[in-house]
Amino acid sequence: MKVMVLIRATEDMENGVMPSEQVLTEMTAFNEKLVNAGIMIGGEGLHPSAKGARVKFEGKKTTVVDGPFAETKELIAGYWIWQVESMQEAIDWVRQVPNPHGEHSEIEIRQVFSPEDFGDEFTEEARAKDAELRARTEG
């Protein structure tokens, strides 16, 4: 199963405080463990929401709202994409994520949809197109 692991932002992250050498070293070592275990597909950190934008939809109308956004605890600071055998395996890995400063933080794990999850509505034609697009993005 493929999961997205979402790292929630903290006030420091939203204020643009860059990670220390210790944090970067520990996270790099953890990422290496993930790669060596064959589960890490990708992952990145995100700039603060002040550098972002949201696009809101109302029917055909769109509205752009520039960051920063309120409610830091609801914002994402980074993510990983992992291929794991089960949700429990993902949880077990997340429990090993370094938290060098011992501050409050939160990580959310969400299963990524696979073509099989969509049932008959995802026609053979749509599945073939999806497979083609995935091959093009991976190539």
Side-chain angles (χ1 to χ4, degrees):
M1 90 186 319
K2 190 183 292 184
V3 295
M4 177 177 255
V5 180
L6 303 164
I7 302 149
R8 297 276 182 201
T10 64
E11 282 192 40
D12 278 354
M13 292 170 184
E14 273 299 293
N15 288 326
V17 176
M18 296 304 288
S20 68
E21 181 180 342
Q22 175 191 358
V23 171
L24 292 172
T25 299
E26 290 186 23
M27 288 306 292
T28 299
F30 181 69
N31 284 340
E32 185 173 23
K33 284 174 63 175
L34 294 170
V35 170
N36 290 342
I39 68 166
M40 186 168 160
I41 296 171
E44 303 287 343
L46 303 174
H47 279 270
S49 68
K51 294 183 176 184
R54 287 183 178 163
V55 179
K56 296 184 178 190
F57 294 83
E58 288 260 349
K60 301 236 183 245
K61 180 183 173 200
T62 60
T63 306
V64 176
V65 179
D66 292 325
F69 307 119
E71 296 300 322
T72 298
K73 66 183 180 189
E74 300 297 325
L75 299 173
I76 304 300
Y79 69 93
W80 284 290
I81 302 290
W82 295 347
Q83 184 70 44
V84 293
E85 293 297 320
S86 66
M87 183 61 75
Q88 186 59 53
E89 181 183 11
I91 291 167
D92 292 343
W93 277 102
V94 167
R95 288 184 155 176
Q96 298 176 55
V97 172
N99 190 11
H101 301 298
E103 64 185 353
H104 174 80
S105 60
E106 187 173 307
I107 295 177
E108 180 177 340
I109 307 166
R110 303 277 301 274
Q111 185 174 352
V112 175
F113 276 106
S114 67
E116 299 76 35
D117 295 326
F118 293 105
D120 294 338
E121 287 77 15
F122 199 40
T123 64
E124 287 302 316
E125 181 180 287
R127 287 173 195 262
K129 186 63 171 179
D130 180 67
E132 175 201 331
L133 294 172
R134 287 178 190 276
R136 286 172 44 196
T137 60
E138 292 169 2

